Amino acid sequence: MNSFSVSPAKAMSRLGTETAFEVLVKARALEAQGKHIVHLEIGEPDFDTPANISESAIKALREGWTHYGPSPGLPDLRSAIAEYVSKTRNIDVHPDEVVVTPGGKPIIFFPILALIDPGDEVIYPNPGFPIYESMINFVGGKAVPLKISEEKNFTFDINELKSKISSKTKLVIINSPANPTGGVFSKQDIQDIVDIVKQYNCYIMSDEIYSRIMYGYEHHSIASLPGMKERTIILDGFSKTYAMTGWRAGYGVMPRDLAGMVSKLQTNSNSCVNSFVQRACIDALKGPQDSVEAMVKEFQKRRDFIVDGLNKIKGFSCKKPLGAFYVFPNITGTGMDSKKLADYLLNEGGVAALSGTAFGEFGQGYLRFSYANSVENIAMALERITKAMEKI
Ligand code: PLP
């Protein structure tokens, strides 16, 4: 008998995950058995990274940008980000307030590690990106869900925020445009949030990773409102805007002292982001933006196509989202549980989607489809779902 057995840290039992990666593994296993699957589960643009950005990374490699850089990011990139965020959010950002990270995700991980003690409360959107709840629980914080509802056009009831925020709240997380719903906060929604949070001693984490993927609406950042930059952590990055998910490049903009703590956590973990990747990110921000515009235009076409198609399927009802590249149809009309329906569509229909509950308890009654796939594949998925639903 093996006598070696070391139990993991208790915190590990509280760490969640991102179901999209698990469904991808299941879908790949079915493909290995010869089944054809249409992938609408994973949240990444199916476009290539624009050529000028890839060329810039190749050039940087040739020039020798292959060594460690400063933990918070290369000075030129921090300046470029400060300039970009200052312009797009109409605020004055100093490069010292910027930390470059491997993807946007560490801007959830590090500030939560830096700010939350056991018992501190964090308000977060539910359904929402699962890493928020996972990280709050991991550090022993109290995760306080704020229900995102279809009736509120995939925003939330401001009275619920009023009733949940308290002196114990250390952080409020918001996300617009949102994953998984595609919901977008209006200027008034943001003002309503500010009016409440300003009465409390808490930070706001504003996940704006989809801020460039919007359909005919303007993005409003909470950091733009008077007095809010001082208490806001903006999460943004290159993954979605420039189809750079695999490059792992993102950033946070936050008050200087917190930026210092996040940078220190980075020194203790990944040291810094790849130097040649950071050089390419400068060109992403400063170079031509036409490929972003073309991608968003194409996404809009696909959004309209998938929404129309889903609304024709018995038991499905789908609102048209204003941003990101997800649809979140209500499937209560099918009479099925969300997880069971997602499993059924994968195994019987050959369509990989996510259960709304992968994004929290209030996702029950919904599925999430990513429309970062070709119109042909989306059409095939819609046909397959229609047929699978007829069999029930
Ligand atoms: N925030 C939201 C809402 C997301 O959907 C994602 C990725 O899916 C991220 C953050 C993380 O992005 P990145 O791949 O840059 O780490």
Side-chain angles (χ1 to χ4, degrees), residues 104-236:
K105 233 179 204 173
I107 297 299
I108 303 169
F109 197 94
F110 294 142
I112 287 180
L113 273 180
L115 291 174
I116 306 303
D117 273 324
D120 287 343
E121 296 192 1
V122 182
I123 296 177
Y124 71 102
N126 183 326
F129 189 48
I131 302 307
Y132 309 140
E133 188 180 342
S134 165
M135 276 308 298
I136 302 163
N137 289 332
F138 182 64
V139 299
K142 185 171 173 214
V144 180
L146 191 58
K147 187 178 178 189
I148 300 295
S149 66
E150 187 182 358
E151 302 80 66
K152 291 269 162 200
N153 249 332
F154 292 123
T155 66
F156 56 84
D157 181 349
I158 203 73
N159 288 319
E160 196 189 333
L161 177 61
K162 249 185 225 166
S163 71
K164 291 196 163 163
I165 197 165
S166 75
S167 57
K168 293 189 199 135
T169 309
K170 217 163 182 189
L171 179 67
V172 175
I173 304 177
I174 57 173
N175 173 216
S176 171
N179 177 9
T181 61
V184 164
F185 290 142
S186 66
K187 204 171 175 183
Q188 187 59 49
D189 292 330
I190 297 283
Q191 183 64 59
D192 291 344
I193 300 169
V194 168
D195 290 343
I196 295 171
V197 296
K198 266 194 145 176
Q199 301 170 37
Y200 294 87
N201 196 26
C202 62
Y203 275 102
I204 305 292
M205 182 181 286
S206 182
D207 186 340
E208 303 180 9
I209 197 104
Y210 297 102
S211 56
R212 294 281 292 277
I213 304 176
M214 294 192 61
Y215 310 110
Y217 287 81
E218 214 184 309
H219 176 248
H220 299 286
S221 171
I222 196 162
S224 310
L225 273 83
M228 290 309 292
K229 192 199 133 193
E230 291 72 23
R231 51 159 82 210
T232 302
I233 303 154
I234 298 175
L235 181 164
D236 204 339

